[in-house]
Every structure is written in C-alpha cells, then in structure tokens.
C-alpha cells in the first residue's frame, strides 16, 4: 500500500538532503512507530506521505499510484482515504471544534444526524464532549491536539499518519489515544505514528522504524 523506492527529499539545492535513499515497504494493516531525534526528517517523510511534498529523488507509491503522476483530483481523493494528525494540528480557525471534526464526513453520504452523533461520540472519547462549540483559538495545546486526532480518525481511514500525537497530553490521555489507534488498526487501518516518547513505545509495543539524519536505520530503537 505504501512503497518508498530510493526516496530522497531536499528542501534546498545548496543544503544536504533531509531524507536520503529511503527504500521501504509498509505492510497494509500494520502499526509502525517512526522514531528518531529532532531534525531527523520524520515530519518531512509524513509530508511526502500526505502529498504535501513530492520526493525530489526516487519514487513513492501510495494506493498503487506513483505520487509523481497525480492530478489535483487524485490527490484530493487519496487524502480522503487517509487520516492525518499534523505536528502543528492545522485546525481551521474559523470553524468550531465540532465543524473541524465533521470535515472528513462531508464527502460521505451521511445524514446530518448521523454526522452529529459520530462527532459527539469521538469528541467524548477524547474528553472534549463539552467543547463542541468552542473555536480553535479558545483551546489549549493538548485540546487542539485531541481535536486533530478526532478529525483524523472519524472516518476510519485506510492509512492514519500521526506526527507526535501525544506530545501535548498527559499519560492517561496518551494511553487512551493509543488505544483508539490500536482499535482502528485491528479493523484494518495502517498506522504510522511519529514519536519521541520511549515510554509509549515500551508500554504499547509495535514495530519501530528509526530515522537518523534522514536515513532509515534498520532494527534499532
Ligand atoms: N520548510 C523547510 N525548509 C528548509 N528546511 C526544512 C524545512 N522543514 C524542515 N527542514 C529541515 O529538515 C530537517 C528535518 O526536519 P523535520 O521537520 O522533518 O524533522 P523531524 O524529525 O520531524 O523533527 P522533530 O522531531 O523536531 O519534529 C531539519 O533539519 C529541518 O531544519
Ligand atoms: Mg517533526
């Protein structure tokens, strides 16, 4: 479902490549941690997966298509099959919590009543049942992060990519979030979760991909 073939990404011609020579097949239905120090290239890799960035070398194949050959419409369609938690959340400022979380459901033929019920259920799960009508600017960092998580999982995506999704929440909430991701994973979602949190990896073991200085190190933590 996701294949990197000698992928590189260089932000700037004069600088060294941020991601280098990355070859990797991600198995459909698996749960991977993406680990590695700050600046290793984790977010850059995720941006390529979300087709925000195209590889500057090599090929990235997603859902059977080379990301180099995509039209805008292809990209939009493929993104609807993915859930994403950005490191900087990317909530829409002018929409309420409830409206942000409902966004992925707009493309599905669901009644407003069904959408409201799903949104309320997931927001309850992440402890934000009382913030439905709040605006993003009125939330704390951890609350914004939980809204981003709710939005990413609400349509049970085929691929879930989450960049440090527990970075701003306490341990109890982090465990709840991982539990939620694991449940989706059991139902077939391929999960990729970037984290620095060793405790998380120890308590909820899954396969770990280790990125260092833009390169994938096999078999390390
Ligand atoms: N827009 C950009 N323009 C130029 N360089 C960039 C840009 N974004 C990131 N970089 C550089 O690419 C490298 C990798 O950054 P990236 O954000 O992918 O790291 P990361 O592994 O996600 O780090 P962290 O754990 O701190 O989130 C860094 O050296 C960073 O300075
Ligand atoms: Mg990052």
């Amino acid at each position: 479902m996701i294949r990197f073939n000698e992928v590189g990404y260089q932000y700037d011609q004069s600088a060294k490549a941020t991601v280098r020579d990355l070859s990797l097949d991600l198995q459909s239905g698996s749960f991977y941690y993406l680990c590695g120090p700050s600046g290793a290239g984790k977010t850059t890799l995720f941006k390529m997966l979300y087709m925000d960035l195209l590889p500057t070398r090599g090929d990235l194949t997603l859902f059977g298509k080379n990301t180099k050959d995509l039209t805008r419409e292809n990209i939009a369609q493929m993104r609807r099959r993915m859930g994403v938690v950005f490191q900087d959340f990317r909530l829409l400022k002018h929409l309420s919590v409830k409206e942000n979380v409902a966004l992925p459901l707009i493309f599905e033929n669901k009644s407003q009543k069904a959408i409201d019920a799903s949104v309320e259920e997931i927001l309850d799960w992440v402890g934000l049942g009382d913030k439905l009508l709040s605006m993003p600017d009125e939330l704390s960092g951890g609350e914004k992060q939980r809204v981003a998580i709710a939005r990413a999982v609400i349509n049970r995506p085929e691929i879930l990519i989450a960049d440090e999704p527990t970075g701003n929440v306490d341990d109890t909430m982090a465990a709840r979030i991982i539990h939620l991701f694991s449940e989706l994973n059991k139902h077939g979602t391929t999960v990729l979760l970037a984290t620095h949190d060793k405790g998380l990896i120890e308590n909820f073991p899954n396969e770990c991909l280790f990125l260092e200085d833009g390169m994938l190190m096999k078999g390390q933590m």
Side-chain angles (χ1 to χ4, degrees), residues 92-101 112 116 119-120 123 128-139 147:
L92 299 185
K93 270 173 83 99
H94 305 295
L95 297 183
S96 67
V97 164
K98 190 175 157 182
E99 289 163 339
N100 264 282
V101 175
Q112 190 60 46
D116 285 349
V119 169
E120 283 168 31
L123 282 168
L128 294 175
D130 58 344
K131 300 274 181 189
L132 292 172
L133 301 178
S134 300
M135 301 304 284
D137 282 346
E138 299 162 356
L139 303 177
V147 176

Side-chain angles (χ1 to χ4, degrees), residues 121-176:
E121 186 190 13
I122 190 69
L123 282 168
D124 263 343
W125 176 267
V126 296
L128 294 175
D130 58 344
K131 300 274 181 189
L132 292 172
L133 301 178
S134 300
M135 301 304 284
D137 282 346
E138 299 162 356
L139 303 177
S140 73
E143 288 169 346
K144 284 184 196 150
Q145 187 158 44
R146 285 180 276 152
V147 176
I149 289 166
R151 183 179 61 183
V153 300
I154 194 153
N155 62 345
R156 299 177 174 268
E158 289 167 62
I159 299 175
L160 174 64
I161 52 183
D163 203 351
E164 297 279 355
T166 58
N168 296 278
V169 299
D170 61 49
D171 289 351
T172 311
M173 185 47 73
R176 265 178 100 79

Side-chain angles (χ1 to χ4, degrees), residues 27-112:
Q27 298 305 316
S28 188
S30 298
F31 192 131
Y32 298 94
Y33 288 118
L34 179 62
C35 317
S38 181
K42 302 180 296 297
T43 297
T44 305
L45 194 155
F46 277 179
K47 285 183 174 165
M48 287 193 275
L49 279 174
Y50 196 63
M51 298 161 283
D52 255 354
L53 300 175
L54 284 177
T56 52
R57 293 180 75 96
D59 297 288
L60 169 57
T61 308
L62 259 178
F63 300 119
K65 289 200 170 82
N66 191 319
T67 55
K68 278 181 183 155
D69 303 330
L70 301 175
T71 62
R72 287 170 83 93
E73 184 53 30
N74 290 147
I75 292 178
Q77 279 169 359
M78 284 161 73
R79 283 182 176 164
R80 279 175 217 145
R81 300 168 68 181
M82 304 171 79
V84 57
V85 183
F86 296 102
Q87 200 166 13
D88 54 2
F89 318 133
R90 298 203 200 173
L91 301 180
L92 299 185
K93 270 173 83 99
H94 305 295
L95 297 183
S96 67
V97 164
K98 190 175 157 182
E99 289 163 339
N100 264 282
V101 175
L103 279 176
L105 297 179
I106 287 172
F107 299 101
E108 296 181 8
N109 268 334
K110 284 194 167 165
S111 68
Q112 190 60 46

